[in-house]
Amino acid sequence: MKQSNSNLKFPKHFLWGAATSAHQVEGDTHNQWTVWELENSLSLATRSSYHFEDLENWPDIKAAAKDPNNYVSAQGVDHYTRYEQDFDLLQRMHMNAFRFSIEWSRVEPKNGAWDVAAIEHYKQYVKELRRRGIEPVVTLFHFTLPVWFDELGGFERRANVKYFTRFAEKIVRELGIDVRYIVTINEPEVYVGASYVTGEWPPSKMSKWTAWRVLSNLAYAHNQTAKAIHGINRRYKVSIAKNSSYVYAGDNAWLSRLSANILQYLKDDYFLKKVIKQCDWLGMNYYFSDRVYGYRVHNPDVHLSDLGWDMSPENIQHALERLHEKYHLPIIITENGLADATDEQRQWWITQTLVAMQKAMKNGVKLEGYLHWSLLDNFEWDKGFWPRFGLVKVDFKTKARTLRPSALWFGKIIKYIRETQ
Ligand code: BGC
C-alpha cells in the first residue's frame, strides 16, 4: 500500500472523518419515526422476503429481516451514553472530523419547551469532540421530526418552517463557537421520495403534489435557516447534505442521453438551484450511479453491495466534477459508504473513492473533506439493523464495538496522509 499512499496528496486541513445520525445510533429517541416503527414493524417483517429474497445474502439476513424487532430502533447502538467511547474510535482512526445530527425531539419535546438536560448533553458532546481535535459537522434535520411538529403537518405546511428555524437558532446559540460547519437538511429528495412518493417512510403518503410542496418547503426552510444562522454570526459555514448520484447514458441513443440529462437535473439541480445562494459549501452524499437506457434506469448487476446497490465508487469523480463545474463551491463529501457485513468490499471501495477524489481535485474540484458513512453499524431506517454500514462493527446485543479490518487499514492511510502533507 505504501507505494500508492505516496501518490495521495490532500490539503493540510482536509477533514477526515465519519458520519452518523441521531435516530440511527443514539437509542431511546421519541419522534415521528419511533411512532411509525412501532406501528409498521410487523408488516415490514412480513414483506421482507418480497423485497429481499433475491439478494445473494438472503440466507444470511433472512432471520433478522423476518424479525419484527429488527424494525424498531429501540436502544439503537446506545451512542447517546457511549459517545465518548465512540469518539475514542474516531481517534484510533486518526480522524479529525465527525458528522452527527442533533435530535430535535430531545431538545424541544413540546412546542416551545426546551429540554435543558438534552441541550447540555449536546454541548458536552461537542466539547468532547473539540477536546480531541475533532471538527464537529452538525446536521439539524436528518429525517426525524418531533411528534408535535409532525402533528402540525411537518414540512407539508410552509407556516411550520418557523419552528425549524427557531430550533436551529437555539442550537447554534447554545453550541456557540465550538461549531462551525452546519448542515440544515439531509438528502431532501430522499426524504420526500420515500415519505411522500413511494410511501415507504412516515408519514407514508403517496401524493406527488404534497411531495412537491414538501420539497419546496425544505428549500425555503434551508434558506430561512441559513439566513438566521448567518444573522447570529457570519463565521458559520452552512450547507445541505445533497444526495447526489452520477447519472449517465448506457448507450449512445439520443433518448438515453436526453433522459440521463433530465434525470440528473431533477435529482440534483432542481433543488440545488433553489438553495445554492444560501450555501457556503456543498455537502455531497454519494452511494451509487444511475445508468440510463432509453427512459429507464438499469444499473449493471455484477458488483452489488449487501443491499443490492450497484457499486461504482469510482464514479464519485464525475459527480464531484459536475457539482464543481455547476456551482463552484467547496465540497465536503458528507456521506459515502456501503452495506458490507463481511467487510470484504470496504477497503476496495475506499481505495477507489480516494483515487477518484484525487482525480477530481486535479481537475479543479475544491474538495475539503471526506466523511465515511458510517462510523457505526446502525439502524438503517425501514430496513432495520441488518445492513452493516459501519467502519465499526457493533454487537447489537452487548453493544460491544470492534474496528473492522477496513477501519484499521483506513486509519493507517489517514495517519500517513495527515503526517506527510
Ligand atoms: C442517509 C443515511 C442512510 C444512508 C444509507 C443516506 O440516504 O442519509 O441516513 O443510512 O444513506 O442508506
Side-chain angles (χ1 to χ4, degrees):
M1 200 60 223
K2 264 246 139 55
Q3 188 104 43
S4 47
N5 281 353
S6 55
N7 297 327
L8 294 173
K9 290 255 174 306
F10 287 88
K12 201 166 177 8
H13 299 292
F14 198 83
L15 298 177
W16 290 104
T20 58
S21 87
H23 186 71
Q24 294 180 270
V25 293
E26 283 188 351
D28 265 334
T29 51
H30 182 66
N31 52 43
Q32 104 282 20
W33 255 94
T34 336
V35 174
W36 184 88
E37 285 156 34
L38 293 170
E39 286 167 1
N40 290 275
S41 60
L42 200 58
S43 69
L44 288 168
T46 313
R47 283 183 281 136
S48 63
S49 40
Y50 169 76
H51 287 299
F52 302 115
E53 72 184 355
D54 288 344
L55 293 179
E56 212 177 289
N57 55 338
W58 175 243
D60 306 326
I61 64 167
K62 188 172 169 184
K66 283 178 161 284
D67 177 1
N69 291 323
N70 172 61
Y71 302 94
V72 182
S73 58
Q75 297 304 306
V77 293
D78 193 26
H79 174 70
Y80 199 74
T81 57
R82 293 173 198 241
Y83 67 90
E84 289 180 58
Q85 187 187 340
D86 293 336
F87 296 169
D88 290 345
L89 296 168
L90 292 171
Q91 283 187 296
R92 278 188 57 199
M93 288 184 281
H94 306 278
M95 290 178 166
N96 61 353
F98 182 55
R99 176 175 172 228
F100 60 94
S101 70
I102 305 269
E103 181 56 37
W104 182 7
S105 63
R106 283 191 196 277
V107 168
E108 193 180 2
K110 291 198 182 117
N111 189 352
W114 305 110
D115 185 316
V116 179
I119 294 174
E120 193 49 37
H121 167 89
Y122 287 115
K123 282 167 96 165
Q124 285 309 318
Y125 187 99
V126 162
K127 287 220 177 309
E128 206 42 57
L129 285 171
R130 278 266 170 245
R131 206 174 60 73
R132 292 155 191 265
I134 297 173
E135 180 75 46
V137 179
V138 180
T139 309
L140 297 170
F141 172 57
H142 198 125
F143 303 156
T144 55
L145 300 169
V147 173
W148 62 263
F149 181 79
D150 187 48
E151 284 171 357
L152 287 176
F155 286 112
E156 289 170 35
R157 297 191 56 222
R158 182 156 288 211
N160 289 345
V161 165
K162 60 178 179 287
Y163 299 115
F164 179 68
T165 308
R166 180 179 68 182
F167 155 66
E169 283 189 85
K170 174 77 176 167
I171 286 300
V172 169
R173 286 188 199 282
E174 291 285 351
L175 299 182
I177 55 163
D178 282 335
V179 157
R180 229 176 341 162
Y181 291 94
I182 298 172
V183 170
T184 53
I185 287 160
N186 182 64
E187 299 194 342
E189 292 91 343
V190 171
Y191 171 70
V192 168
S195 298
Y196 292 97
V197 181
T198 61
E200 291 157 303
W201 289 3
S204 303
K205 291 192 182 165
M206 287 161 82
S207 155
K208 293 211 175 76
W209 161 244
T210 314
W212 174 79
R213 228 176 38 217
V214 174
L215 199 62
S216 306
N217 289 343
L218 287 176
Y220 178 69
H222 168 81
N223 290 335
Q224 291 297 102
T225 304
K227 281 182 206 157
I229 294 172
H230 285 144
I232 296 172
N233 198 319
R234 202 61 194 79
R235 69 184 280 284
Y236 291 110
K237 293 169 181 274
V238 186
S239 177
I240 57 167
K242 182 71 187 67
N243 45 293
S244 192
S245 71
Y246 172 61
V247 187
Y248 64 103
D251 56 26
N252 217 10
W254 69 267
L255 183 60
S256 309
R257 284 183 282 129
L258 179 69
S259 308
N261 284 339
I262 294 174
L263 191 61
Q264 184 84 68
Y265 176 85
L266 292 175
K267 282 190 153 214
D268 271 0
D269 306 308
Y270 176 76
F271 190 85
L272 278 173
K273 280 186 193 300
K274 290 177 189 283
V275 296
I276 203 72
K277 285 205 188 109
Q278 296 298 334
C279 287
D280 301 307
W281 53 285
L282 209 47
M284 183 181 103
N285 295 0
Y286 176 87
Y287 289 93
F288 43 72
S289 307
D290 287 307
R291 186 178 64 176
V292 182
Y293 285 109
Y295 52 86
R296 278 167 204 250
V297 171
H298 183 78
N299 280 319
D301 53 4
V302 281
H303 204 182
L304 305 181
S305 76
D306 290 355
L307 274 164
W309 297 356
D310 163 52
M311 296 195 287
S312 309
E314 70 285 357
N315 280 346
I316 197 172
Q317 178 193 345
H318 308 303
L320 284 166
E321 288 176 3
R322 184 177 179 280
L323 286 185
H324 166 73
E325 276 155 28
K326 282 216 113 155
Y327 302 104
H328 316 288
L329 283 178
I331 300 175
I332 295 175
I333 297 167
T334 33
E335 282 182 36
N336 172 265
L338 72 166
D340 178 21
T342 56
D343 201 39
E344 279 161 26
Q345 309 288 342
R346 201 168 275 106
Q347 180 172 332
W348 163 79
W349 173 285
I350 297 173
T351 307
Q352 296 289 307
T353 303
L354 295 182
V355 170
M357 283 158 56
Q358 282 277 269
K359 287 186 183 161
M361 289 165 84
K362 281 208 182 97
N363 290 339
V365 176
K366 204 160 175 290
L367 187 61
E368 296 191 346
Y370 173 82
L371 308 173
H372 190 84
W373 185 273
S374 182
L375 174 63
L376 303 158
D377 286 339
N378 60 46
F379 180 73
E380 176 58 23
W381 307 112
D382 59 329
K383 320 279 186 312
F385 283 103
W386 65 260
R388 301 280 189 149
F389 275 91
L391 287 164
V392 176
K393 177 179 175 175
V394 180
D395 178 324
F396 293 132
K397 282 208 183 84
T398 63
K399 311 287 186 254
R401 277 96 158 117
T402 320
L403 283 167
R404 293 201 156 97
S406 60
L408 293 167
W409 164 84
F410 189 31
K412 282 190 202 143
I413 299 287
I414 296 175
K415 182 169 187 276
Y416 176 85
I417 294 173
R418 290 186 62 197
E419 279 173 359
T420 53
Q421 308 300 295

